[in-house]
């Protein structure tokens, strides 16, 4: 598999279980699996930027991106394909150079136009039918990390671990 020049990801349903949690005061909560942060670390080690394109617009996702030093963050996006094309223009790459993982209808158009596409195991079947591969993990259970490890390959991961 040819390594991508950019890895893009949805958040809800990929990095989270897709649940929306609210307390009595109306505060929203999301549960992230810390395993996915290793996926970001592996990308950085491989020199591949990571970007988030999500339909939601929350301070929670902004804080998660800042913590992981993800500089490409687009929230509140309904047309993810157009946004990805703009990112590609800025980076002087094509959609064929992009890997993307998403889980639902809002991701479908982008999933079918990138070089490498994936969906978490718990995505709807009609999404899984359109992607290059389906992770064994569900969204919110380390699906992003598995996506990255699959792309980079066992040899890269073993070399990374041996350097630690």
């Amino acid at each position: 598999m040819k390594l991508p020049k950019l890895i893009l990801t949805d958040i809800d349903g990929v990095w989270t279980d897709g649940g929306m949690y609210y307390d009595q005061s109306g505060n929203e909560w999301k549960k992230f699996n810390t395993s996915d942060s290793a996926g970001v670390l592996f990308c950085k080690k491989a020199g591949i930027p990571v970007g988030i394109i999500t339909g939601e617009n929350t301070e929670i996702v902004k804080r998660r991106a800042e913590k992981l030093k993800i500089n490409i963050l687009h929230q509140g996006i309904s047309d993810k394909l157009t946004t990805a094309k703009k990112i590609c223009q800025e980076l002087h790459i094509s959609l064929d150079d992009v890997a993307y993982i998403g889980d639902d209808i809002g991701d479908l158009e982008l999933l079918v136009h990138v070089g490498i596409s994936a969906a978490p195991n718990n995505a709807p079947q009609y999404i899984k039918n359109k992607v290059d591969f389906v992770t064994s993990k569900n969204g919110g259970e380390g699906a992003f990390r598995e996506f990255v490890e699959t792309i980079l390959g066992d040899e890269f991961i073993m070399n990374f671990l041996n350097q630690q």
Side-chain angles (χ1 to χ4, degrees), residues 96-109:
D96 279 344
D97 297 318
V98 175
Y100 180 67
I101 182 169
D103 72 304
D104 216 335
I105 296 166
D107 302 301
L108 189 54
E109 192 174 20

Side-chain angles (χ1 to χ4, degrees), residues 114-162:
V114 294
I116 303 169
S117 63
N121 187 52
N122 61 330
Q125 191 61 47
Y126 55 85
I127 300 295
K128 295 192 289 189
N129 289 342
K130 298 288 186 179
V131 298
D132 297 319
F133 72 93
V134 176
T135 64
S136 65
K137 306 239 186 235
N138 289 338
E141 296 178 358
F144 178 75
R145 179 182 183 159
E146 181 183 339
F147 174 57
V148 170
E149 289 178 347
T150 300
I151 290 169
L152 296 178
D154 291 340
E155 185 176 339
F156 177 89
I157 302 301
M158 291 310 296
N159 285 338
F160 176 85
L161 294 174
N162 288 333

Side-chain angles (χ1 to χ4, degrees), residues 11-24:
I11 290 292
D12 292 311
V14 176
W15 287 47
T16 74
D17 63 7
M20 301 283 182
Y21 306 94
Y22 298 95
D23 67 16
Q24 290 180 332

Side-chain angles (χ1 to χ4, degrees), residues 3-7 39-50 72 91 93 97 148 152 156 160:
L3 286 183
K5 295 180 181 173
L6 171 66
I7 294 180
V40 176
L41 175 66
F42 293 149
C43 287
K44 288 181 184 204
K45 185 70 173 174
I48 302 170
V50 173
I72 302 169
L91 298 176
I93 62 175
D97 297 318
V148 170
L152 296 178
F156 177 89
F160 176 85

Side-chain angles (χ1 to χ4, degrees), residues 1-75:
M1 180 183 315
K2 178 183 132 192
L3 286 183
K5 295 180 181 173
L6 171 66
I7 294 180
L8 294 174
T9 180
D10 181 33
I11 290 292
D12 292 311
V14 176
W15 287 47
T16 74
D17 63 7
M20 301 283 182
Y21 306 94
Y22 298 95
D23 67 16
Q24 290 180 332
S25 302
N27 296 312
E28 183 177 344
W29 297 73
K30 292 183 188 291
K31 179 185 132 213
F32 294 95
N33 187 315
T34 58
S35 174
D36 288 323
S37 60
V40 176
L41 175 66
F42 293 149
C43 287
K44 288 181 184 204
K45 185 70 173 174
I48 302 170
V50 173
I52 296 169
I53 303 177
T54 180
E56 293 291 315
N57 193 353
T58 67
E59 188 65 29
I60 299 166
V61 172
K62 180 180 175 197
R63 286 191 2 237
R64 188 72 180 139
E66 287 172 351
K67 182 174 184 171
L68 297 176
K69 297 179 176 48
I70 296 173
N71 298 323
I72 302 169
L73 173 61
H74 294 271
Q75 296 196 81

